[in-house]
mmCIF file of all heavy atoms in Angstrom:
data_model
loop_
_atom_site.group_PDB
_atom_site.id
_atom_site.type_symbol
_atom_site.label_atom_id
_atom_site.label_comp_id
_atom_site.label_asym_id
_atom_site.label_seq_id
_atom_site.Cartn_x
_atom_site.Cartn_y
_atom_site.Cartn_z
ATOM 1 N N GLU A 1 0.830 -1.070 -0.017
ATOM 2 C CA GLU A 1 -0.045 0.028 -0.024
ATOM 3 C C GLU A 1 0.905 1.266 0.012
ATOM 4 O O GLU A 1 0.577 2.302 -0.789
ATOM 5 C CB GLU A 1 -0.926 0.010 1.270
ATOM 6 C CG GLU A 1 -1.960 1.026 1.074
ATOM 7 C CD GLU A 1 -3.362 0.710 1.833
ATOM 8 O OE1 GLU A 1 -4.002 -0.154 1.262
ATOM 9 O OE2 GLU A 1 -3.596 1.171 2.862
ATOM 10 N N THR A 2 1.957 1.172 0.673
ATOM 11 C CA THR A 2 2.881 2.298 0.728
ATOM 12 C C THR A 2 3.494 2.443 -0.723
ATOM 13 O O THR A 2 3.545 3.641 -1.242
ATOM 14 C CB THR A 2 4.096 2.083 1.634
ATOM 15 O OG1 THR A 2 3.662 1.989 2.953
ATOM 16 C CG2 THR A 2 5.101 3.069 1.624
ATOM 17 N N ALA A 3 3.949 1.371 -1.257
ATOM 18 C CA ALA A 3 4.414 1.559 -2.776
ATOM 19 C C ALA A 3 3.334 2.064 -3.701
ATOM 20 O O ALA A 3 3.683 2.848 -4.605
ATOM 21 C CB ALA A 3 4.869 0.042 -3.290
ATOM 22 N N ALA A 4 2.060 1.737 -3.474
ATOM 23 C CA ALA A 4 1.148 1.998 -4.410
ATOM 24 C C ALA A 4 0.658 3.505 -4.217
ATOM 25 O O ALA A 4 0.564 4.286 -5.205
ATOM 26 C CB ALA A 4 -0.208 1.251 -4.126
ATOM 27 N N ILE A 5 0.794 4.009 -3.037
ATOM 28 C CA ILE A 5 0.476 5.461 -2.779
ATOM 29 C C ILE A 5 1.485 6.363 -3.303
ATOM 30 O O ILE A 5 1.261 7.363 -3.948
ATOM 31 C CB ILE A 5 0.228 5.573 -1.204
ATOM 32 C CG1 ILE A 5 -1.244 5.051 -0.981
ATOM 33 C CG2 ILE A 5 0.256 7.094 -0.938
ATOM 34 C CD1 ILE A 5 -1.473 5.088 0.515
ATOM 35 N N PHE A 6 2.866 5.874 -3.114
ATOM 36 C CA PHE A 6 3.855 6.644 -3.832
ATOM 37 C C PHE A 6 3.902 6.548 -5.408
ATOM 38 O O PHE A 6 4.412 7.402 -5.986
ATOM 39 C CB PHE A 6 5.199 6.274 -3.107
ATOM 40 C CG PHE A 6 5.430 7.014 -1.868
ATOM 41 C CD1 PHE A 6 5.286 6.512 -0.677
ATOM 42 C CD2 PHE A 6 6.091 8.329 -1.941
ATOM 43 C CE1 PHE A 6 5.413 7.159 0.620
ATOM 44 C CE2 PHE A 6 6.321 8.991 -0.794
ATOM 45 C CZ PHE A 6 6.034 8.552 0.376
ATOM 46 N N ASP A 7 3.397 5.515 -5.796
ATOM 47 C CA ASP A 7 3.130 5.340 -7.231
ATOM 48 C C ASP A 7 2.327 6.408 -7.741
ATOM 49 O O ASP A 7 2.451 7.210 -8.723
ATOM 50 C CB ASP A 7 2.541 3.914 -7.539
ATOM 51 C CG ASP A 7 2.464 3.735 -9.204
ATOM 52 O OD1 ASP A 7 1.757 4.311 -9.775
ATOM 53 O OD2 ASP A 7 3.331 2.871 -9.513
ATOM 54 N N LEU A 8 1.094 6.724 -6.963
ATOM 55 C CA LEU A 8 0.076 7.705 -7.273
ATOM 56 C C LEU A 8 0.851 9.076 -7.119
ATOM 57 O O LEU A 8 0.738 9.958 -7.922
ATOM 58 C CB LEU A 8 -0.936 7.586 -6.282
ATOM 59 C CG LEU A 8 -1.917 8.850 -5.971
ATOM 60 C CD1 LEU A 8 -2.530 9.264 -7.350
ATOM 61 C CD2 LEU A 8 -2.873 8.603 -4.882
ATOM 62 N N ILE A 9 1.674 9.275 -6.132
ATOM 63 C CA ILE A 9 2.363 10.448 -5.860
ATOM 64 C C ILE A 9 3.162 10.980 -7.033
ATOM 65 O O ILE A 9 3.382 12.102 -7.375
ATOM 66 C CB ILE A 9 3.080 10.504 -4.486
ATOM 67 C CG1 ILE A 9 2.072 10.359 -3.309
ATOM 68 C CG2 ILE A 9 3.899 11.667 -4.366
ATOM 69 C CD1 ILE A 9 2.647 10.021 -2.001
ATOM 70 N N GLY A 10 3.918 9.899 -7.594
ATOM 71 C CA GLY A 10 4.759 10.129 -8.828
ATOM 72 C C GLY A 10 3.872 10.701 -9.820
ATOM 73 O O GLY A 10 4.335 11.656 -10.550
ATOM 74 N N LEU A 11 2.731 10.163 -10.048
ATOM 75 C CA LEU A 11 1.699 10.654 -11.090
ATOM 76 C C LEU A 11 1.374 12.001 -10.747
ATOM 77 O O LEU A 11 1.189 12.936 -11.685
ATOM 78 C CB LEU A 11 0.521 9.618 -11.202
ATOM 79 C CG LEU A 11 -0.568 9.970 -12.122
ATOM 80 C CD1 LEU A 11 -0.121 10.300 -13.562
ATOM 81 C CD2 LEU A 11 -1.744 9.049 -12.017
ATOM 82 N N TYR A 12 1.028 12.159 -9.491
ATOM 83 C CA TYR A 12 0.541 13.466 -9.102
ATOM 84 C C TYR A 12 1.574 14.549 -9.288
ATOM 85 O O TYR A 12 1.136 15.847 -9.731
ATOM 86 C CB TYR A 12 0.186 13.447 -7.645
ATOM 87 C CG TYR A 12 -0.452 14.721 -6.971
ATOM 88 C CD1 TYR A 12 -1.680 15.121 -7.361
ATOM 89 C CD2 TYR A 12 0.276 15.648 -6.230
ATOM 90 C CE1 TYR A 12 -2.346 16.240 -6.868
ATOM 91 C CE2 TYR A 12 -0.238 16.866 -5.742
ATOM 92 C CZ TYR A 12 -1.629 17.154 -6.033
ATOM 93 O OH TYR A 12 -2.183 18.274 -5.569
ATOM 94 N N ASP A 13 2.792 14.450 -9.228
ATOM 95 C CA ASP A 13 3.870 15.272 -9.466
ATOM 96 C C ASP A 13 3.714 15.716 -10.912
ATOM 97 O O ASP A 13 3.781 16.910 -11.414
ATOM 98 C CB ASP A 13 5.120 14.792 -9.285
ATOM 99 C CG ASP A 13 5.763 15.114 -7.929
ATOM 100 O OD1 ASP A 13 5.574 16.296 -7.572
ATOM 101 O OD2 ASP A 13 6.395 14.385 -7.151
ATOM 102 N N HIS A 14 3.512 14.744 -12.025
ATOM 103 C CA HIS A 14 3.305 15.036 -13.318
ATOM 104 C C HIS A 14 2.138 15.911 -13.486
ATOM 105 O O HIS A 14 2.081 16.788 -14.244
ATOM 106 C CB HIS A 14 3.266 13.745 -14.178
ATOM 107 C CG HIS A 14 4.509 12.962 -14.249
ATOM 108 N ND1 HIS A 14 5.703 13.496 -14.697
ATOM 109 C CD2 HIS A 14 4.838 11.829 -13.862
ATOM 110 C CE1 HIS A 14 6.623 12.704 -14.607
ATOM 111 N NE2 HIS A 14 6.270 11.616 -14.210
ATOM 112 N N VAL A 15 0.983 15.628 -12.857
ATOM 113 C CA VAL A 15 -0.195 16.308 -13.033
ATOM 114 C C VAL A 15 0.026 17.792 -12.650
ATOM 115 O O VAL A 15 -0.390 18.715 -13.369
ATOM 116 C CB VAL A 15 -1.402 15.828 -12.259
ATOM 117 C CG1 VAL A 15 -2.599 16.610 -12.140
ATOM 118 C CG2 VAL A 15 -1.874 14.382 -12.743
ATOM 119 N N THR A 16 0.623 18.003 -11.348
ATOM 120 C CA THR A 16 0.776 19.462 -10.972
ATOM 121 C C THR A 16 1.758 20.155 -11.698
ATOM 122 O O THR A 16 1.712 21.444 -11.744
ATOM 123 C CB THR A 16 1.161 19.335 -9.483
ATOM 124 O OG1 THR A 16 2.280 18.539 -9.194
ATOM 125 C CG2 THR A 16 0.027 18.890 -8.622
ATOM 126 N N GLU A 17 2.706 19.419 -12.404
ATOM 127 C CA GLU A 17 3.625 20.060 -13.278
ATOM 128 C C GLU A 17 3.053 20.457 -14.695
ATOM 129 O O GLU A 17 3.699 21.241 -15.464
ATOM 130 C CB GLU A 17 4.939 19.169 -13.451
ATOM 131 C CG GLU A 17 5.713 18.873 -12.279
ATOM 132 C CD GLU A 17 6.709 17.646 -12.322
ATOM 133 O OE1 GLU A 17 6.545 17.159 -13.472
ATOM 134 O OE2 GLU A 17 7.544 17.525 -11.560
ATOM 135 N N GLY A 18 1.967 19.988 -14.975
ATOM 136 C CA GLY A 18 1.231 20.214 -16.170
ATOM 137 C C GLY A 18 1.726 19.398 -17.297
ATOM 138 O O GLY A 18 1.416 19.724 -18.439
ATOM 139 N N SER A 19 2.378 18.152 -17.014
ATOM 140 C CA SER A 19 2.836 17.302 -18.050
ATOM 141 C C SER A 19 2.102 16.104 -18.267
ATOM 142 O O SER A 19 2.529 15.189 -19.110
ATOM 143 C CB SER A 19 4.404 16.997 -17.738
ATOM 144 O OG SER A 19 4.379 16.280 -16.439
ATOM 145 N N ALA A 20 0.899 16.071 -17.609
ATOM 146 C CA ALA A 20 0.115 14.802 -17.664
ATOM 147 C C ALA A 20 -0.890 14.843 -18.788
ATOM 148 O O ALA A 20 -1.349 15.937 -19.156
ATOM 149 C CB ALA A 20 -0.633 14.574 -16.431
ATOM 150 N N THR A 21 -1.186 13.853 -19.338
ATOM 151 C CA THR A 21 -2.281 13.647 -20.397
ATOM 152 C C THR A 21 -3.668 13.849 -19.713
ATOM 153 O O THR A 21 -3.698 13.731 -18.473
ATOM 154 C CB THR A 21 -2.141 12.172 -21.259
ATOM 155 O OG1 THR A 21 -2.422 11.271 -20.324
ATOM 156 C CG2 THR A 21 -0.797 12.131 -21.745
ATOM 157 N N GLN A 22 -4.709 13.980 -20.556
ATOM 158 C CA GLN A 22 -5.983 13.926 -20.050
ATOM 159 C C GLN A 22 -6.356 12.688 -19.328
ATOM 160 O O GLN A 22 -6.936 12.757 -18.212
ATOM 161 C CB GLN A 22 -6.947 14.207 -21.178
ATOM 162 C CG GLN A 22 -8.421 14.383 -20.742
ATOM 163 C CD GLN A 22 -8.670 15.478 -19.829
ATOM 164 O OE1 GLN A 22 -8.094 16.632 -19.955
ATOM 165 N NE2 GLN A 22 -9.597 15.375 -18.836
ATOM 166 N N GLU A 23 -5.963 11.576 -19.818
ATOM 167 C CA GLU A 23 -6.243 10.255 -19.315
ATOM 168 C C GLU A 23 -5.464 10.114 -17.912
ATOM 169 O O GLU A 23 -6.140 9.473 -16.838
ATOM 170 C CB GLU A 23 -5.808 9.021 -20.141
ATOM 171 C CG GLU A 23 -6.706 8.941 -21.335
ATOM 172 C CD GLU A 23 -6.365 10.016 -22.507
ATOM 173 O OE1 GLU A 23 -5.466 10.612 -22.354
ATOM 174 O OE2 GLU A 23 -7.322 10.197 -23.454
ATOM 175 N N GLU A 24 -4.336 10.601 -17.855
ATOM 176 C CA GLU A 24 -3.499 10.682 -16.655
ATOM 177 C C GLU A 24 -4.099 11.525 -15.595
ATOM 178 O O GLU A 24 -4.124 11.082 -14.321
ATOM 179 C CB GLU A 24 -2.085 10.975 -16.860
ATOM 180 C CG GLU A 24 -1.301 9.881 -17.620
ATOM 181 C CD GLU A 24 0.109 10.403 -17.974
ATOM 182 O OE1 GLU A 24 0.358 11.613 -18.207
ATOM 183 O OE2 GLU A 24 1.079 9.532 -17.985
ATOM 184 N N GLN A 25 -4.815 12.623 -15.945
ATOM 185 C CA GLN A 25 -5.412 13.431 -14.952
ATOM 186 C C GLN A 25 -6.635 12.761 -14.397
ATOM 187 O O GLN A 25 -6.876 12.893 -13.172
ATOM 188 C CB GLN A 25 -5.780 14.674 -15.702
ATOM 189 C CG GLN A 25 -4.565 15.543 -16.170
ATOM 190 C CD GLN A 25 -4.955 16.863 -16.803
ATOM 191 O OE1 GLN A 25 -5.942 17.608 -16.458
ATOM 192 N NE2 GLN A 25 -4.333 17.145 -17.893
ATOM 193 N N VAL A 26 -7.302 11.984 -15.224
ATOM 194 C CA VAL A 26 -8.591 11.351 -14.828
ATOM 195 C C VAL A 26 -8.123 10.156 -13.810
ATOM 196 O O VAL A 26 -8.667 9.955 -12.777
ATOM 197 C CB VAL A 26 -9.351 10.715 -15.851
ATOM 198 C CG1 VAL A 26 -10.533 9.871 -15.416
ATOM 199 C CG2 VAL A 26 -9.896 11.925 -16.766
ATOM 200 N N LEU A 27 -7.167 9.621 -14.234
ATOM 201 C CA LEU A 27 -6.524 8.258 -13.474
ATOM 202 C C LEU A 27 -6.087 8.776 -12.002
ATOM 203 O O LEU A 27 -6.299 8.183 -11.090
ATOM 204 C CB LEU A 27 -5.393 7.680 -14.179
ATOM 205 C CG LEU A 27 -4.728 6.407 -13.436
ATOM 206 C CD1 LEU A 27 -5.783 5.299 -13.364
ATOM 207 C CD2 LEU A 27 -3.494 6.016 -14.313
ATOM 208 N N ASN A 28 -5.404 10.012 -12.066
ATOM 209 C CA ASN A 28 -4.976 10.652 -10.805
ATOM 210 C C ASN A 28 -6.086 10.834 -9.824
ATOM 211 O O ASN A 28 -6.088 10.423 -8.701
ATOM 212 C CB ASN A 28 -4.285 11.997 -11.226
ATOM 213 C CG ASN A 28 -3.833 12.694 -10.072
ATOM 214 O OD1 ASN A 28 -2.992 12.366 -9.299
ATOM 215 N ND2 ASN A 28 -4.560 13.869 -9.787
ATOM 216 N N ARG A 29 -7.222 11.409 -10.412
ATOM 217 C CA ARG A 29 -8.312 11.781 -9.536
ATOM 218 C C ARG A 29 -8.958 10.362 -8.983
ATOM 219 O O ARG A 29 -9.394 10.274 -7.815
ATOM 220 C CB ARG A 29 -9.353 12.486 -10.225
ATOM 221 C CG ARG A 29 -9.111 13.985 -10.362
ATOM 222 C CD ARG A 29 -10.135 14.737 -11.198
ATOM 223 N NE ARG A 29 -11.521 14.576 -10.492
ATOM 224 C CZ ARG A 29 -12.570 15.078 -11.103
ATOM 225 N NH1 ARG A 29 -12.583 15.673 -12.343
ATOM 226 N NH2 ARG A 29 -13.714 14.938 -10.468
ATOM 227 N N LEU A 30 -9.024 9.432 -9.814
ATOM 228 C CA LEU A 30 -9.622 8.086 -9.510
ATOM 229 C C LEU A 30 -8.796 7.387 -8.392
ATOM 230 O O LEU A 30 -9.226 6.944 -7.367
ATOM 231 C CB LEU A 30 -9.741 7.219 -10.629
ATOM 232 C CG LEU A 30 -10.236 5.842 -10.433
ATOM 233 C CD1 LEU A 30 -11.652 5.909 -9.942
ATOM 234 C CD2 LEU A 30 -10.075 4.976 -11.663
ATOM 235 N N LEU A 31 -7.408 7.408 -8.514
ATOM 236 C CA LEU A 31 -6.627 6.746 -7.677
ATOM 237 C C LEU A 31 -6.481 7.389 -6.165
ATOM 238 O O LEU A 31 -6.538 6.786 -5.209
ATOM 239 C CB LEU A 31 -5.145 6.554 -8.176
ATOM 240 C CG LEU A 31 -4.922 5.745 -9.427
ATOM 241 C CD1 LEU A 31 -3.584 5.754 -9.879
ATOM 242 C CD2 LEU A 31 -5.318 4.209 -8.983
ATOM 243 N N ILE A 32 -6.625 8.705 -6.233
ATOM 244 C CA ILE A 32 -6.749 9.500 -5.025
ATOM 245 C C ILE A 32 -7.993 9.064 -4.273
ATOM 246 O O ILE A 32 -7.900 8.787 -3.120
ATOM 247 C CB ILE A 32 -6.733 11.088 -5.313
ATOM 248 C CG1 ILE A 32 -5.413 11.543 -5.774
ATOM 249 C CG2 ILE A 32 -7.172 11.733 -4.109
ATOM 250 C CD1 ILE A 32 -5.523 12.978 -6.309
ATOM 251 N N ALA A 33 -9.127 9.001 -4.956
ATOM 252 C CA ALA A 33 -10.231 8.527 -4.156
ATOM 253 C C ALA A 33 -10.239 7.134 -3.653
ATOM 254 O O ALA A 33 -10.595 6.937 -2.537
ATOM 255 C CB ALA A 33 -11.535 8.634 -5.205
ATOM 256 N N ILE A 34 -9.827 6.215 -4.373
ATOM 257 C CA ILE A 34 -9.830 4.714 -3.974
ATOM 258 C C ILE A 34 -8.740 4.477 -2.982
ATOM 259 O O ILE A 34 -9.055 3.716 -1.986
ATOM 260 C CB ILE A 34 -9.707 3.852 -5.214
ATOM 261 C CG1 ILE A 34 -8.592 3.881 -5.936
ATOM 262 C CG2 ILE A 34 -11.007 4.002 -6.118
ATOM 263 C CD1 ILE A 34 -8.304 2.823 -7.043
#
């Protein structure tokens, strides 16, 4: 679970940097919720 949450955090860094695709932005929101 620790590894999975930091996997999400790596994606979140891309989203906040503005380098994520639309699909990655949706996936980011979904993973945050679950």
